[in-house]
Amino acid sequence: MSKTSLRRSAARLALAAAAAAAVTVTVAPAGASADPLVTQPGELVVNGGAEQGTTGWSGTANLKAMPYVATGYPVAKLVGPSGAIGTFDSGTYALNVNAQASEDASQVIDLTPSAASIDAGKVTAHMSAYLGGMDVQNDRGGVTYEFLGVGGQTLGTQVLAAPMASDRGNVSGAVFREATATLPVGTRSVKVIAQFTVEYGVNNGFVDNVSLTLDAPPSELTVTHTSDAAGPILDGQVVNYTVTLTNTGGQPIAVDRALALAGVLDDADLVSGPTSSDGALVVNGAGDLFGINGTLAPGQTVTVVYSVVTKPYADQGDHNLVAVLADPANLPAGVPGSCTGLGDCLEVATADTAAVPMVNAAVAGVVAAAVLAGGGVYMFTRRRKSTTA
């Protein structure tokens, strides 16, 4: 094989090694169902069932906690267009306006703790309420949710429509309404408005169990670990490494990774890093072991970079640079000689750049004598050998 062919073959092998250098690990399974938002789990409406009187609500002095009764009005009966269809968990009270007027009561729920998830466009709001009225009257209760931006501007609305008497089958009771919507990007609060509409006389509309909960897809961490080396690498060559960590899920994720460089620093010296591109992840440690810790917001990417320079071949250990990124509990023992059996691992071999002597001393003497005697011209070639550990 010609020298040109050898060089081309070596180049193809180097490209293949470089292509295999990136390792991607997915921590959470893709397509997992949404979970309660970790920053604001559970029910967000304060006193949506009026069990603490009118606590949490404002906007009208006529708002009251109206007790349910066994007979008469209001009654804790679940109804629909065909009339009564069952009961619901009503507690003792419902919200009502004690006035001969249509009035609203409201509360504003701060969502800034969940801003990162909301702005990733992955937060779902679940809204529901029991909306009631009396017999054939069209006095009715409804609920509107207004999604507000940082300046209080309305970014979107969701209405739980107040049922007319026909929606209740012309009997006293409450209709269950619910809706689900993705929170608009930029939402920082939700204004929940309980609306009491009167058609005749004293307002008999009521609302109960007003609810707002949030969820988002679970956190999902993608990690890539790459180097710019296309081995075998030479003495004194600088190798640059990049660890890229991205949260592709809908909720914040805690990061706890260990970067083990024992398999690298037996053959090379650390010349820079590891350093993080963002304060969300902190790199700490010394020697050949470092920790990468912190929290990534949904959609956030942080890189950690470090560089090494290879030692002279004679000063190297096993002539194979092995970098391991792992859970601290799964670090390999000792100095790994290869990536075999290790998950997120990079390895690249070094090259023996020492030239093989042209000829030994005894042969050199014979050749010199032959040349002096006019015995002809001799061509000497150097050979370079490459080894991989």
Side-chain angles (χ1 to χ4, degrees):
M1 182 179 292
S2 69
K3 291 181 179 179
T4 300
S5 297
L6 284 170
R7 291 192 188 102
R8 289 175 178 170
S9 297
R12 285 194 294 268
L13 289 171
L15 289 172
V23 177
T24 302
V25 176
T26 300
V27 175
S33 60
D35 290 339
L37 201 65
V38 294
T39 50
Q40 292 186 289
E43 181 58 63
L44 298 181
V45 174
V46 175
N47 188 33
E51 300 305 306
Q52 290 80 49
T54 60
T55 298
W57 298 93
S58 62
T60 173
N62 294 317
L63 186 69
K64 70 173 184 177
M66 180 173 62
Y68 287 100
V69 295
T71 58
Y73 184 81
V75 60
K77 186 182 297 182
L78 184 63
V79 297
S82 60
I85 56 177
T87 59
F88 65 96
D89 184 11
S90 62
T92 304
Y93 299 95
L95 289 168
N96 166 258
V97 167
N98 183 28
Q100 292 182 325
S102 297
E103 295 185 354
D104 297 343
S106 65
Q107 60 178 271
V108 176
I109 300 168
D110 180 19
L111 298 185
T112 53
S114 302
S117 295
I118 292 170
D119 290 349
K122 296 185 178 183
V123 175
T124 300
H126 301 279
M127 299 150 282
S128 64
Y130 289 85
L131 310 175
M134 179 178 180
D135 293 337
V136 297
Q137 298 182 24
N138 280 323
D139 294 0
R140 56 197 180 273
V143 178
T144 294
Y145 299 79
E146 295 182 352
F147 309 130
L148 308 177
V150 66
Q153 72 276 26
T154 300
L155 302 179
T157 60
Q158 180 65 58
V159 176
L160 302 182
M164 305 294 284
S166 58
D167 296 317
R168 296 182 279 102
N170 294 312
V171 299
S172 298
V175 173
F176 179 66
R177 303 279 203 213
E178 64 180 340
T180 298
T182 299
L183 284 180
V185 170
T187 298
R188 292 297 179 268
S189 62
V190 177
K191 185 175 184 180
V192 183
I193 307 168
Q195 300 157 314
F196 305 89
T197 302
V198 65
E199 291 286 339
Y200 176 78
V202 175
N203 197 326
N204 288 309
F206 71 89
V207 300
D208 200 0
N209 294 348
V210 182
S211 176
L212 171 65
T213 60
L214 306 179
D215 67 27
S219 53
E220 187 171 330
L221 181 65
T222 299
V223 181
T224 62
H225 190 188
T226 62
S227 79
D228 62 358
I233 53 179
L234 307 177
D235 297 3
Q237 182 174 335
V238 174
V239 182
N240 301 300
Y241 292 85
T242 302
V243 178
T244 304
L245 306 101
T246 302
N247 181 1
T248 58
Q251 309 203 46
I253 188 169
V255 176
D256 183 15
R257 288 288 183 275
L259 180 62
L261 301 181
V264 173
L265 300 185
D266 61 334
D267 304 298
D269 295 315
L270 190 64
V271 292
S272 67
T275 56
S276 173
S277 65
D278 191 281
L281 296 183
V282 176
V283 179
N284 45 54
D288 58 23
L289 184 60
F290 299 86
I292 302 174
N293 305 97
T295 301
L296 288 179
Q300 186 174 16
T301 295
V302 174
T303 58
V304 174
V305 296
Y306 60 101
S307 300
V308 301
V309 60
T310 55
K311 301 175 182 178
Y313 192 83
D315 296 334
Q316 296 175 14
D318 60 1
H319 314 299
N320 197 31
L321 278 63
V322 179
V324 180
L325 185 68
D327 185 288
N330 297 325
L331 288 176
V335 180
S338 73
C339 285
T340 303
L342 302 177
D344 189 353
C345 179
L346 296 178
E347 67 176 303
V348 58
T350 63
D352 180 0
T353 59
V356 176
M358 291 186 294
V359 68
N360 64 40
V363 174
V366 173
V367 171
V371 172
L372 288 173
V377 177
Y378 288 80
M379 182 176 293
F380 301 100
T381 59
R382 294 178 181 267
R383 292 182 299 143
R384 175 177 291 175
K385 60 180 179 180
S386 297
T387 61
T388 57

